[in-house]
Amino acid sequence: MLLFLAGCSGGTAAEPQPVEPDDRPVVLTTFTVLADIAQNVAGEHLRVESVTRLGAEIHGYEPTPDDLRRASRADLILDNGLNLEAWFAQFVADNPAPHVTVSDGVEVIDIADEEGSGKPNPHAWMSPLNVQKYAGRIAEAFSELDPEHASDYRANAAQYQSKLQAVHDELAASLAQIPESHRTLVTCEGAFSYLARDVGLTEKYLWAVNAESQATPRKVAAAIDAVRERQVPAVFCESTVSDAAMQRVVESTDAVYGGTLYVDSLSAADGPVPTYLDLITHDTRTIARALKGELP
């Protein structure tokens, strides 16, 4: 009877729509920011995916069995390199798919923190000028993967590089208006070395690479001293970590909390930074507004 009734009631249900097969080559990137950069170069010819999800912290990520299965089906894997993905070597150890490190060719800045001294700062994508190089390297990797559309990849990269240059020029002009005495960028993580170099800011941070346990009392005290000495008007923290340690700096100085910055992950489509260009624009405008004392 139940089967009969179920059959009778099915007349109003919508028929399932067939799913169109997607036989495009699959490019797997290690994090969402890199996926967006790669998608701008790929256009419609490739399916670009990210290992990590929106909002995830990249440094200490632990790949899941599903991530490994996705990697086994990928035609190309892109990583940032510079020790960003500590888990990457093991992730691709048994994977025959080619992988390309997109930061190759950038001018590397070493970590200044004593615990990381001599190691490269991995956050090279926080410079739009570096991402121009990322785009060029990605275009060449895509051209080798899919020679039929090589001219499209190179054209897409050139168009994206023009957008990156325009963003850099706008942001540099905005930050140039900050008084010399206020040109110190204080953040939780030392993720802004490349951006600071591009636009002439001095950098101070609580830890070099994301690990909240590194916000020791000594480092917090050093940040407090620096903020007081330089009369820094605002300090910042990143979206993927707690701002508790930086709030202690705020409580002990005349600085205000300037806002949340984005580094390791994009937001959802309806969030503040759904693309890399949105991310870098949001961060720099937030920094410029706070350091110029324009917060309400």
PDB file of all heavy atoms in Angstrom, residues 33 124-129 131 160 163-164 167-168 171 175 191-192 194-195 198 262-263 266 272-273 275-287:
ATOM      1  N   VAL A  33      42.727  31.613  -2.122  1.00  0.00           N
ATOM      2  CA  VAL A  33      43.286  32.798  -2.779  1.00  0.00           C
ATOM      3  C   VAL A  33      43.961  32.399  -4.086  1.00  0.00           C
ATOM      4  O   VAL A  33      43.767  33.026  -5.133  1.00  0.00           O
ATOM      5  CB  VAL A  33      44.281  33.519  -1.855  1.00  0.00           C
ATOM      6  CG1 VAL A  33      44.963  34.674  -2.583  1.00  0.00           C
ATOM      7  CG2 VAL A  33      43.577  34.029  -0.598  1.00  0.00           C
ATOM      8  N   ALA A 124      53.954  35.870  -0.217  1.00  0.00           N
ATOM      9  CA  ALA A 124      54.321  36.698  -1.371  1.00  0.00           C
ATOM     10  C   ALA A 124      53.110  37.215  -2.128  1.00  0.00           C
ATOM     11  O   ALA A 124      53.195  38.251  -2.797  1.00  0.00           O
ATOM     12  CB  ALA A 124      55.225  35.893  -2.313  1.00  0.00           C
ATOM     13  N   TRP A 125      51.972  36.523  -2.036  1.00  0.00           N
ATOM     14  CA  TRP A 125      50.772  36.954  -2.762  1.00  0.00           C
ATOM     15  C   TRP A 125      50.171  38.243  -2.186  1.00  0.00           C
ATOM     16  O   TRP A 125      49.290  38.842  -2.809  1.00  0.00           O
ATOM     17  CB  TRP A 125      49.711  35.851  -2.770  1.00  0.00           C
ATOM     18  CG  TRP A 125      49.071  35.594  -1.432  1.00  0.00           C
ATOM     19  CD1 TRP A 125      47.946  36.184  -0.943  1.00  0.00           C
ATOM     20  CD2 TRP A 125      49.527  34.696  -0.417  1.00  0.00           C
ATOM     21  NE1 TRP A 125      47.678  35.712   0.324  1.00  0.00           N
ATOM     22  CE2 TRP A 125      48.622  34.786   0.658  1.00  0.00           C
ATOM     23  CE3 TRP A 125      50.594  33.802  -0.325  1.00  0.00           C
ATOM     24  CZ2 TRP A 125      48.767  34.034   1.826  1.00  0.00           C
ATOM     25  CZ3 TRP A 125      50.742  33.051   0.829  1.00  0.00           C
ATOM     26  CH2 TRP A 125      49.839  33.162   1.886  1.00  0.00           C
ATOM     27  N   MET A 126      50.654  38.679  -1.015  1.00  0.00           N
ATOM     28  CA  MET A 126      50.125  39.916  -0.464  1.00  0.00           C
ATOM     29  C   MET A 126      50.689  41.154  -1.164  1.00  0.00           C
ATOM     30  O   MET A 126      50.394  42.282  -0.771  1.00  0.00           O
ATOM     31  CB  MET A 126      50.382  39.974   1.041  1.00  0.00           C
ATOM     32  CG  MET A 126      49.594  38.935   1.827  1.00  0.00           C
ATOM     33  SD  MET A 126      47.801  38.997   1.512  1.00  0.00           S
ATOM     34  CE  MET A 126      47.389  40.583   2.234  1.00  0.00           C
ATOM     35  N   SER A 127      51.461  40.949  -2.201  1.00  0.00           N
ATOM     36  CA  SER A 127      51.911  42.019  -3.091  1.00  0.00           C
ATOM     37  C   SER A 127      51.265  41.818  -4.461  1.00  0.00           C
ATOM     38  O   SER A 127      51.513  40.791  -5.108  1.00  0.00           O
ATOM     39  CB  SER A 127      53.434  41.982  -3.247  1.00  0.00           C
ATOM     40  OG  SER A 127      53.846  42.632  -4.429  1.00  0.00           O
ATOM     41  N   PRO A 128      50.439  42.755  -4.941  1.00  0.00           N
ATOM     42  CA  PRO A 128      49.886  42.613  -6.296  1.00  0.00           C
ATOM     43  C   PRO A 128      50.970  42.518  -7.365  1.00  0.00           C
ATOM     44  O   PRO A 128      50.755  41.888  -8.409  1.00  0.00           O
ATOM     45  CB  PRO A 128      49.041  43.889  -6.464  1.00  0.00           C
ATOM     46  CG  PRO A 128      48.735  44.342  -5.088  1.00  0.00           C
ATOM     47  CD  PRO A 128      49.924  43.951  -4.258  1.00  0.00           C
ATOM     48  N   LEU A 129      52.125  43.127  -7.108  1.00  0.00           N
ATOM     49  CA  LEU A 129      53.222  43.045  -8.079  1.00  0.00           C
ATOM     50  C   LEU A 129      53.752  41.611  -8.161  1.00  0.00           C
ATOM     51  O   LEU A 129      54.100  41.126  -9.246  1.00  0.00           O
ATOM     52  CB  LEU A 129      54.335  44.013  -7.693  1.00  0.00           C
ATOM     53  CG  LEU A 129      53.933  45.483  -7.589  1.00  0.00           C
ATOM     54  CD1 LEU A 129      55.144  46.342  -7.245  1.00  0.00           C
ATOM     55  CD2 LEU A 129      53.282  45.959  -8.882  1.00  0.00           C
ATOM     56  N   VAL A 131      51.914  38.978  -7.540  1.00  0.00           N
ATOM     57  CA  VAL A 131      50.858  38.170  -8.152  1.00  0.00           C
ATOM     58  C   VAL A 131      50.874  38.319  -9.672  1.00  0.00           C
ATOM     59  O   VAL A 131      50.445  37.417 -10.399  1.00  0.00           O
ATOM     60  CB  VAL A 131      49.484  38.521  -7.539  1.00  0.00           C
ATOM     61  CG1 VAL A 131      48.347  37.789  -8.250  1.00  0.00           C
ATOM     62  CG2 VAL A 131      49.476  38.143  -6.059  1.00  0.00           C
ATOM     63  N   TYR A 160      44.718  40.190 -16.505  1.00  0.00           N
ATOM     64  CA  TYR A 160      44.703  40.165 -15.041  1.00  0.00           C
ATOM     65  C   TYR A 160      45.881  40.961 -14.476  1.00  0.00           C
ATOM     66  O   TYR A 160      45.741  41.689 -13.487  1.00  0.00           O
ATOM     67  CB  TYR A 160      44.746  38.718 -14.564  1.00  0.00           C
ATOM     68  CG  TYR A 160      44.478  38.528 -13.086  1.00  0.00           C
ATOM     69  CD1 TYR A 160      43.319  39.020 -12.488  1.00  0.00           C
ATOM     70  CD2 TYR A 160      45.382  37.834 -12.291  1.00  0.00           C
ATOM     71  CE1 TYR A 160      43.069  38.826 -11.141  1.00  0.00           C
ATOM     72  CE2 TYR A 160      45.138  37.632 -10.942  1.00  0.00           C
ATOM     73  CZ  TYR A 160      43.973  38.134 -10.367  1.00  0.00           C
ATOM     74  OH  TYR A 160      43.738  37.936  -9.033  1.00  0.00           O
ATOM     75  N   LYS A 163      45.032  44.553 -14.348  1.00  0.00           N
ATOM     76  CA  LYS A 163      44.166  44.863 -13.206  1.00  0.00           C
ATOM     77  C   LYS A 163      44.988  44.931 -11.921  1.00  0.00           C
ATOM     78  O   LYS A 163      44.762  45.800 -11.070  1.00  0.00           O
ATOM     79  CB  LYS A 163      43.065  43.804 -13.076  1.00  0.00           C
ATOM     80  CG  LYS A 163      42.058  43.801 -14.205  1.00  0.00           C
ATOM     81  CD  LYS A 163      41.016  42.711 -14.003  1.00  0.00           C
ATOM     82  CE  LYS A 163      40.003  42.699 -15.126  1.00  0.00           C
ATOM     83  NZ  LYS A 163      38.992  41.612 -14.946  1.00  0.00           N
ATOM     84  N   LEU A 164      45.929  44.024 -11.773  1.00  0.00           N
ATOM     85  CA  LEU A 164      46.792  44.013 -10.584  1.00  0.00           C
ATOM     86  C   LEU A 164      47.620  45.285 -10.504  1.00  0.00           C
ATOM     87  O   LEU A 164      47.799  45.858  -9.427  1.00  0.00           O
ATOM     88  CB  LEU A 164      47.700  42.788 -10.610  1.00  0.00           C
ATOM     89  CG  LEU A 164      47.015  41.441 -10.412  1.00  0.00           C
ATOM     90  CD1 LEU A 164      47.936  40.297 -10.856  1.00  0.00           C
ATOM     91  CD2 LEU A 164      46.615  41.241  -8.954  1.00  0.00           C
ATOM     92  N   VAL A 167      45.389  48.140  -9.370  1.00  0.00           N
ATOM     93  CA  VAL A 167      45.119  48.057  -7.936  1.00  0.00           C
ATOM     94  C   VAL A 167      46.339  48.520  -7.142  1.00  0.00           C
ATOM     95  O   VAL A 167      46.211  49.298  -6.190  1.00  0.00           O
ATOM     96  CB  VAL A 167      44.729  46.621  -7.536  1.00  0.00           C
ATOM     97  CG1 VAL A 167      44.734  46.457  -6.021  1.00  0.00           C
ATOM     98  CG2 VAL A 167      43.362  46.274  -8.090  1.00  0.00           C
ATOM     99  N   HIS A 168      47.521  48.058  -7.516  1.00  0.00           N
ATOM    100  CA  HIS A 168      48.739  48.485  -6.824  1.00  0.00           C
ATOM    101  C   HIS A 168      48.898  50.003  -6.883  1.00  0.00           C
ATOM    102  O   HIS A 168      49.199  50.643  -5.860  1.00  0.00           O
ATOM    103  CB  HIS A 168      49.971  47.827  -7.432  1.00  0.00           C
ATOM    104  CG  HIS A 168      51.251  48.473  -6.992  1.00  0.00           C
ATOM    105  ND1 HIS A 168      51.824  48.246  -5.765  1.00  0.00           N
ATOM    106  CD2 HIS A 168      52.051  49.396  -7.613  1.00  0.00           C
ATOM    107  CE1 HIS A 168      52.913  48.970  -5.639  1.00  0.00           C
ATOM    108  NE2 HIS A 168      53.081  49.673  -6.744  1.00  0.00           N
ATOM    109  N   LEU A 171      46.378  51.713  -4.598  1.00  0.00           N
ATOM    110  CA  LEU A 171      46.647  51.479  -3.188  1.00  0.00           C
ATOM    111  C   LEU A 171      47.916  52.208  -2.734  1.00  0.00           C
ATOM    112  O   LEU A 171      47.966  52.742  -1.624  1.00  0.00           O
ATOM    113  CB  LEU A 171      46.772  49.977  -2.929  1.00  0.00           C
ATOM    114  CG  LEU A 171      45.541  49.149  -3.338  1.00  0.00           C
ATOM    115  CD1 LEU A 171      45.738  47.699  -2.961  1.00  0.00           C
ATOM    116  CD2 LEU A 171      44.276  49.695  -2.735  1.00  0.00           C
ATOM    117  N   LEU A 175      48.069  54.930   0.338  1.00  0.00           N
ATOM    118  CA  LEU A 175      48.947  54.771   1.500  1.00  0.00           C
ATOM    119  C   LEU A 175      50.011  55.858   1.561  1.00  0.00           C
ATOM    120  O   LEU A 175      50.527  56.169   2.635  1.00  0.00           O
ATOM    121  CB  LEU A 175      49.606  53.396   1.454  1.00  0.00           C
ATOM    122  CG  LEU A 175      48.658  52.218   1.743  1.00  0.00           C
ATOM    123  CD1 LEU A 175      49.351  50.890   1.483  1.00  0.00           C
ATOM    124  CD2 LEU A 175      48.154  52.260   3.177  1.00  0.00           C
ATOM    125  N   ALA A 191      52.368  38.819   7.932  1.00  0.00           N
ATOM    126  CA  ALA A 191      51.925  38.438   6.589  1.00  0.00           C
ATOM    127  C   ALA A 191      52.025  39.568   5.575  1.00  0.00           C
ATOM    128  O   ALA A 191      51.697  39.372   4.411  1.00  0.00           O
ATOM    129  CB  ALA A 191      50.482  37.927   6.648  1.00  0.00           C
ATOM    130  N   PHE A 192      52.482  40.738   6.014  1.00  0.00           N
ATOM    131  CA  PHE A 192      52.386  41.917   5.157  1.00  0.00           C
ATOM    132  C   PHE A 192      53.742  42.483   4.757  1.00  0.00           C
ATOM    133  O   PHE A 192      53.844  43.636   4.345  1.00  0.00           O
ATOM    134  CB  PHE A 192      51.533  42.979   5.855  1.00  0.00           C
ATOM    135  CG  PHE A 192      50.120  42.528   6.071  1.00  0.00           C
ATOM    136  CD1 PHE A 192      49.777  41.837   7.219  1.00  0.00           C
ATOM    137  CD2 PHE A 192      49.140  42.748   5.118  1.00  0.00           C
ATOM    138  CE1 PHE A 192      48.482  41.383   7.420  1.00  0.00           C
ATOM    139  CE2 PHE A 192      47.848  42.304   5.303  1.00  0.00           C
ATOM    140  CZ  PHE A 192      47.513  41.621   6.462  1.00  0.00           C
ATOM    141  N   TYR A 194      55.628  41.877   2.173  1.00  0.00           N
ATOM    142  CA  TYR A 194      55.737  42.218   0.751  1.00  0.00           C
ATOM    143  C   TYR A 194      54.921  43.469   0.435  1.00  0.00           C
ATOM    144  O   TYR A 194      55.375  44.347  -0.312  1.00  0.00           O
ATOM    145  CB  TYR A 194      55.278  41.038  -0.102  1.00  0.00           C
ATOM    146  CG  TYR A 194      56.158  39.821   0.043  1.00  0.00           C
ATOM    147  CD1 TYR A 194      55.857  38.829   0.986  1.00  0.00           C
ATOM    148  CD2 TYR A 194      57.302  39.655  -0.731  1.00  0.00           C
ATOM    149  CE1 TYR A 194      56.667  37.713   1.134  1.00  0.00           C
ATOM    150  CE2 TYR A 194      58.122  38.540  -0.588  1.00  0.00           C
ATOM    151  CZ  TYR A 194      57.804  37.575   0.351  1.00  0.00           C
ATOM    152  OH  TYR A 194      58.608  36.475   0.508  1.00  0.00           O
ATOM    153  N   LEU A 195      53.732  43.571   1.010  1.00  0.00           N
ATOM    154  CA  LEU A 195      52.931  44.766   0.813  1.00  0.00           C
ATOM    155  C   LEU A 195      53.613  45.976   1.437  1.00  0.00           C
ATOM    156  O   LEU A 195      53.663  47.058   0.834  1.00  0.00           O
ATOM    157  CB  LEU A 195      51.541  44.573   1.433  1.00  0.00           C
ATOM    158  CG  LEU A 195      50.585  45.763   1.315  1.00  0.00           C
ATOM    159  CD1 LEU A 195      50.295  46.084  -0.145  1.00  0.00           C
ATOM    160  CD2 LEU A 195      49.288  45.493   2.067  1.00  0.00           C
ATOM    161  N   ASP A 198      56.321  47.194  -0.781  1.00  0.00           N
ATOM    162  CA  ASP A 198      55.802  47.856  -1.978  1.00  0.00           C
ATOM    163  C   ASP A 198      55.424  49.311  -1.721  1.00  0.00           C
ATOM    164  O   ASP A 198      55.591  50.169  -2.600  1.00  0.00           O
ATOM    165  CB  ASP A 198      54.560  47.117  -2.502  1.00  0.00           C
ATOM    166  CG  ASP A 198      54.903  45.800  -3.182  1.00  0.00           C
ATOM    167  OD1 ASP A 198      56.099  45.515  -3.372  1.00  0.00           O
ATOM    168  OD2 ASP A 198      53.956  45.055  -3.518  1.00  0.00           O
ATOM    169  N   TYR A 262      42.487  40.305   5.784  1.00  0.00           N
ATOM    170  CA  TYR A 262      42.375  38.974   5.194  1.00  0.00           C
ATOM    171  C   TYR A 262      43.665  38.620   4.479  1.00  0.00           C
ATOM    172  O   TYR A 262      44.232  39.441   3.763  1.00  0.00           O
ATOM    173  CB  TYR A 262      41.190  38.923   4.224  1.00  0.00           C
ATOM    174  CG  TYR A 262      39.849  39.056   4.917  1.00  0.00           C
ATOM    175  CD1 TYR A 262      39.358  40.308   5.275  1.00  0.00           C
ATOM    176  CD2 TYR A 262      39.097  37.934   5.245  1.00  0.00           C
ATOM    177  CE1 TYR A 262      38.145  40.440   5.932  1.00  0.00           C
ATOM    178  CE2 TYR A 262      37.883  38.061   5.899  1.00  0.00           C
ATOM    179  CZ  TYR A 262      37.416  39.308   6.236  1.00  0.00           C
ATOM    180  OH  TYR A 262      36.213  39.436   6.890  1.00  0.00           O
ATOM    181  N   VAL A 263      44.113  37.370   4.695  1.00  0.00           N
ATOM    182  CA  VAL A 263      45.386  36.930   4.121  1.00  0.00           C
ATOM    183  C   VAL A 263      45.258  35.554   3.495  1.00  0.00           C
ATOM    184  O   VAL A 263      45.466  35.372   2.296  1.00  0.00           O
ATOM    185  CB  VAL A 263      46.495  36.904   5.201  1.00  0.00           C
ATOM    186  CG1 VAL A 263      47.793  36.354   4.615  1.00  0.00           C
ATOM    187  CG2 VAL A 263      46.740  38.285   5.772  1.00  0.00           C
ATOM    188  N   LEU A 266      39.821  33.553   1.157  1.00  0.00           N
ATOM    189  CA  LEU A 266      38.749  34.423   0.695  1.00  0.00           C
ATOM    190  C   LEU A 266      37.506  34.193   1.541  1.00  0.00           C
ATOM    191  O   LEU A 266      37.420  33.231   2.309  1.00  0.00           O
ATOM    192  CB  LEU A 266      38.439  34.130  -0.774  1.00  0.00           C
ATOM    193  CG  LEU A 266      39.592  34.297  -1.768  1.00  0.00           C
ATOM    194  CD1 LEU A 266      39.123  33.961  -3.175  1.00  0.00           C
ATOM    195  CD2 LEU A 266      40.163  35.713  -1.719  1.00  0.00           C
ATOM    196  N   PRO A 272      33.079  40.011   2.480  1.00  0.00           N
ATOM    197  CA  PRO A 272      33.857  41.209   2.141  1.00  0.00           C
ATOM    198  C   PRO A 272      34.956  40.993   1.117  1.00  0.00           C
ATOM    199  O   PRO A 272      35.378  41.938   0.457  1.00  0.00           O
ATOM    200  CB  PRO A 272      34.444  41.627   3.489  1.00  0.00           C
ATOM    201  CG  PRO A 272      34.523  40.358   4.278  1.00  0.00           C
ATOM    202  CD  PRO A 272      33.336  39.550   3.853  1.00  0.00           C
ATOM    203  N   VAL A 273      35.465  39.738   0.985  1.00  0.00           N
ATOM    204  CA  VAL A 273      36.606  39.516   0.084  1.00  0.00           C
ATOM    205  C   VAL A 273      36.411  38.237  -0.739  1.00  0.00           C
ATOM    206  O   VAL A 273      37.139  37.260  -0.602  1.00  0.00           O
ATOM    207  CB  VAL A 273      37.939  39.460   0.869  1.00  0.00           C
ATOM    208  CG1 VAL A 273      38.260  40.816   1.477  1.00  0.00           C
ATOM    209  CG2 VAL A 273      37.909  38.412   1.975  1.00  0.00           C
ATOM    210  N   THR A 275      37.123  37.724  -3.827  1.00  0.00           N
ATOM    211  CA  THR A 275      38.192  37.527  -4.806  1.00  0.00           C
ATOM    212  C   THR A 275      39.500  38.068  -4.244  1.00  0.00           C
ATOM    213  O   THR A 275      39.499  38.847  -3.278  1.00  0.00           O
ATOM    214  CB  THR A 275      37.905  38.247  -6.133  1.00  0.00           C
ATOM    215  OG1 THR A 275      38.054  39.664  -5.936  1.00  0.00           O
ATOM    216  CG2 THR A 275      36.506  37.943  -6.645  1.00  0.00           C
ATOM    217  N   TYR A 276      40.608  37.701  -4.884  1.00  0.00           N
ATOM    218  CA  TYR A 276      41.899  38.226  -4.444  1.00  0.00           C
ATOM    219  C   TYR A 276      41.959  39.742  -4.586  1.00  0.00           C
ATOM    220  O   TYR A 276      42.467  40.437  -3.699  1.00  0.00           O
ATOM    221  CB  TYR A 276      43.046  37.589  -5.237  1.00  0.00           C
ATOM    222  CG  TYR A 276      44.353  38.320  -4.996  1.00  0.00           C
ATOM    223  CD1 TYR A 276      45.033  38.151  -3.792  1.00  0.00           C
ATOM    224  CD2 TYR A 276      44.879  39.220  -5.924  1.00  0.00           C
ATOM    225  CE1 TYR A 276      46.214  38.850  -3.526  1.00  0.00           C
ATOM    226  CE2 TYR A 276      46.051  39.911  -5.675  1.00  0.00           C
ATOM    227  CZ  TYR A 276      46.710  39.728  -4.474  1.00  0.00           C
ATOM    228  OH  TYR A 276      47.863  40.426  -4.212  1.00  0.00           O
ATOM    229  N   LEU A 277      41.459  40.287  -5.690  1.00  0.00           N
ATOM    230  CA  LEU A 277      41.497  41.734  -5.869  1.00  0.00           C
ATOM    231  C   LEU A 277      40.679  42.426  -4.777  1.00  0.00           C
ATOM    232  O   LEU A 277      41.066  43.497  -4.290  1.00  0.00           O
ATOM    233  CB  LEU A 277      40.972  42.113  -7.256  1.00  0.00           C
ATOM    234  CG  LEU A 277      41.861  41.696  -8.434  1.00  0.00           C
ATOM    235  CD1 LEU A 277      41.194  42.083  -9.756  1.00  0.00           C
ATOM    236  CD2 LEU A 277      43.240  42.328  -8.344  1.00  0.00           C
ATOM    237  N   ASP A 278      39.560  41.820  -4.382  1.00  0.00           N
ATOM    238  CA  ASP A 278      38.776  42.362  -3.277  1.00  0.00           C
ATOM    239  C   ASP A 278      39.582  42.302  -1.980  1.00  0.00           C
ATOM    240  O   ASP A 278      39.552  43.237  -1.168  1.00  0.00           O
ATOM    241  CB  ASP A 278      37.476  41.578  -3.095  1.00  0.00           C
ATOM    242  CG  ASP A 278      36.498  41.780  -4.228  1.00  0.00           C
ATOM    243  OD1 ASP A 278      36.437  42.899  -4.775  1.00  0.00           O
ATOM    244  OD2 ASP A 278      35.787  40.818  -4.580  1.00  0.00           O
ATOM    245  N   LEU A 279      40.294  41.191  -1.777  1.00  0.00           N
ATOM    246  CA  LEU A 279      41.071  41.007  -0.540  1.00  0.00           C
ATOM    247  C   LEU A 279      42.142  42.076  -0.397  1.00  0.00           C
ATOM    248  O   LEU A 279      42.235  42.739   0.635  1.00  0.00           O
ATOM    249  CB  LEU A 279      41.688  39.610  -0.542  1.00  0.00           C
ATOM    250  CG  LEU A 279      42.561  39.193   0.646  1.00  0.00           C
ATOM    251  CD1 LEU A 279      42.507  37.680   0.835  1.00  0.00           C
ATOM    252  CD2 LEU A 279      44.020  39.598   0.472  1.00  0.00           C
ATOM    253  N   ILE A 280      42.947  42.259  -1.419  1.00  0.00           N
ATOM    254  CA  ILE A 280      44.062  43.187  -1.311  1.00  0.00           C
ATOM    255  C   ILE A 280      43.559  44.637  -1.242  1.00  0.00           C
ATOM    256  O   ILE A 280      44.135  45.487  -0.557  1.00  0.00           O
ATOM    257  CB  ILE A 280      45.072  42.980  -2.470  1.00  0.00           C
ATOM    258  CG1 ILE A 280      46.442  43.555  -2.095  1.00  0.00           C
ATOM    259  CG2 ILE A 280      44.567  43.528  -3.772  1.00  0.00           C
ATOM    260  CD1 ILE A 280      47.159  42.779  -1.018  1.00  0.00           C
ATOM    261  N   THR A 281      42.441  44.912  -1.925  1.00  0.00           N
ATOM    262  CA  THR A 281      41.854  46.250  -1.859  1.00  0.00           C
ATOM    263  C   THR A 281      41.275  46.510  -0.473  1.00  0.00           C
ATOM    264  O   THR A 281      41.485  47.583   0.112  1.00  0.00           O
ATOM    265  CB  THR A 281      40.766  46.414  -2.932  1.00  0.00           C
ATOM    266  OG1 THR A 281      41.349  46.228  -4.224  1.00  0.00           O
ATOM    267  CG2 THR A 281      40.143  47.800  -2.869  1.00  0.00           C
ATOM    268  N   HIS A 282      40.542  45.536   0.054  1.00  0.00           N
ATOM    269  CA  HIS A 282      39.970  45.673   1.406  1.00  0.00           C
ATOM    270  C   HIS A 282      41.070  45.915   2.434  1.00  0.00           C
ATOM    271  O   HIS A 282      40.959  46.821   3.278  1.00  0.00           O
ATOM    272  CB  HIS A 282      39.193  44.415   1.780  1.00  0.00           C
ATOM    273  CG  HIS A 282      38.869  44.314   3.237  1.00  0.00           C
ATOM    274  ND1 HIS A 282      37.709  44.802   3.781  1.00  0.00           N
ATOM    275  CD2 HIS A 282      39.573  43.792   4.283  1.00  0.00           C
ATOM    276  CE1 HIS A 282      37.706  44.608   5.092  1.00  0.00           C
ATOM    277  NE2 HIS A 282      38.825  43.985   5.422  1.00  0.00           N
ATOM    278  N   ASP A 283      42.126  45.113   2.385  1.00  0.00           N
ATOM    279  CA  ASP A 283      43.183  45.228   3.383  1.00  0.00           C
ATOM    280  C   ASP A 283      43.848  46.594   3.340  1.00  0.00           C
ATOM    281  O   ASP A 283      44.046  47.247   4.375  1.00  0.00           O
ATOM    282  CB  ASP A 283      44.229  44.137   3.171  1.00  0.00           C
ATOM    283  CG  ASP A 283      43.774  42.784   3.671  1.00  0.00           C
ATOM    284  OD1 ASP A 283      42.624  42.677   4.168  1.00  0.00           O
ATOM    285  OD2 ASP A 283      44.554  41.814   3.573  1.00  0.00           O
ATOM    286  N   THR A 284      44.204  47.033   2.163  1.00  0.00           N
ATOM    287  CA  THR A 284      44.951  48.281   2.073  1.00  0.00           C
ATOM    288  C   THR A 284      44.079  49.483   2.413  1.00  0.00           C
ATOM    289  O   THR A 284      44.544  50.431   3.058  1.00  0.00           O
ATOM    290  CB  THR A 284      45.569  48.433   0.674  1.00  0.00           C
ATOM    291  OG1 THR A 284      46.257  47.239   0.339  1.00  0.00           O
ATOM    292  CG2 THR A 284      46.535  49.590   0.641  1.00  0.00           C
ATOM    293  N   ARG A 285      42.818  49.455   2.012  1.00  0.00           N
ATOM    294  CA  ARG A 285      41.931  50.558   2.377  1.00  0.00           C
ATOM    295  C   ARG A 285      41.693  50.588   3.878  1.00  0.00           C
ATOM    296  O   ARG A 285      41.625  51.661   4.489  1.00  0.00           O
ATOM    297  CB  ARG A 285      40.615  50.439   1.611  1.00  0.00           C
ATOM    298  CG  ARG A 285      40.760  50.784   0.135  1.00  0.00           C
ATOM    299  CD  ARG A 285      39.466  50.622  -0.621  1.00  0.00           C
ATOM    300  NE  ARG A 285      39.621  51.020  -2.021  1.00  0.00           N
ATOM    301  CZ  ARG A 285      38.685  50.858  -2.958  1.00  0.00           C
ATOM    302  NH1 ARG A 285      37.521  50.291  -2.642  1.00  0.00           N
ATOM    303  NH2 ARG A 285      38.914  51.246  -4.204  1.00  0.00           N
ATOM    304  N   THR A 286      41.567  49.402   4.481  1.00  0.00           N
ATOM    305  CA  THR A 286      41.393  49.324   5.936  1.00  0.00           C
ATOM    306  C   THR A 286      42.621  49.892   6.645  1.00  0.00           C
ATOM    307  O   THR A 286      42.503  50.671   7.603  1.00  0.00           O
ATOM    308  CB  THR A 286      41.158  47.865   6.369  1.00  0.00           C
ATOM    309  OG1 THR A 286      39.959  47.371   5.764  1.00  0.00           O
ATOM    310  CG2 THR A 286      41.032  47.745   7.879  1.00  0.00           C
ATOM    311  N   ILE A 287      43.801  49.500   6.168  1.00  0.00           N
ATOM    312  CA  ILE A 287      45.051  49.994   6.768  1.00  0.00           C
ATOM    313  C   ILE A 287      45.171  51.507   6.596  1.00  0.00           C
ATOM    314  O   ILE A 287      45.458  52.237   7.551  1.00  0.00           O
ATOM    315  CB  ILE A 287      46.256  49.274   6.122  1.00  0.00           C
ATOM    316  CG1 ILE A 287      46.263  47.787   6.513  1.00  0.00           C
ATOM    317  CG2 ILE A 287      47.566  49.942   6.533  1.00  0.00           C
ATOM    318  CD1 ILE A 287      47.209  46.941   5.677  1.00  0.00           C
TER     319      ILE A 287
END
